[in-house]
Amino acid sequence: MPSLSLRINLDPDGRIGPGKIELLEQIAAFGSISAGARQMNMSYKHAWDLVEEMNRIFGKPVVAAQTGGRRGGGAELTAVGRAVVSRFRIIEQAATAAAEQHMNALQAEIAAG
């Protein structure tokens, strides 16, 4: 079955898509940038670079990180980060619903082969 993948261009040098949104969701779920990155088989450096890119794009932090100590560090989404995830998922659902009829027709064409 065909599937729809959404990317949103936010400025000439920035965009968000399923990968960045999943990273934010993993950070929220595990309370850690490194744990979120591990869940996605991504290096900590790459995850941190993506978080910094999103911070730049939105002009404010999407993740609040605490440095490690005796009990270790941690990370959580800021209000902006939570809003970005929520809005992206809502837009994704709307786009999927709008395209459903056409995706089904495309699948029928493929199956008729």
Side-chain angles (χ1 to χ4, degrees):
M1 178 73 180
S3 63
L4 187 65
S5 178
L6 180 68
R7 296 207 189 295
I8 301 173
N9 297 321
L10 297 166
D11 69 26
D13 298 320
R15 66 184 186 179
I16 58 170
K20 288 177 184 165
I21 296 302
E22 183 183 352
L23 176 60
L24 292 177
E25 290 171 333
Q26 295 295 336
I27 291 168
F30 290 94
S32 161
I33 294 172
S34 61
R38 274 194 302 277
Q39 289 298 311
M40 297 179 67
N41 295 316
M42 178 186 298
S43 74
Y44 174 79
K45 168 123 176 53
H46 185 62
W48 184 250
D49 288 346
L50 291 174
V51 167
E52 285 191 331
E53 179 183 346
M54 287 185 279
N55 290 344
R56 180 191 57 76
I57 290 168
F58 292 103
K60 352 183 138 132
V62 295
V63 173
Q66 294 83 37
T67 56
R70 280 174 35 133
R71 297 169 60 156
E76 63 183 13
L77 299 189
T78 63
V80 172
R82 290 189 302 274
V84 167
V85 170
S86 176
R87 294 282 179 200
F88 182 89
R89 292 301 184 198
I90 290 167
I91 293 166
E92 183 179 58
Q93 290 172 354
T96 298
E100 183 178 14
Q101 176 183 349
H102 300 288
M103 298 293 276
N104 290 337
L106 180 60
Q107 179 60 33
E109 291 293 329
I110 294 168

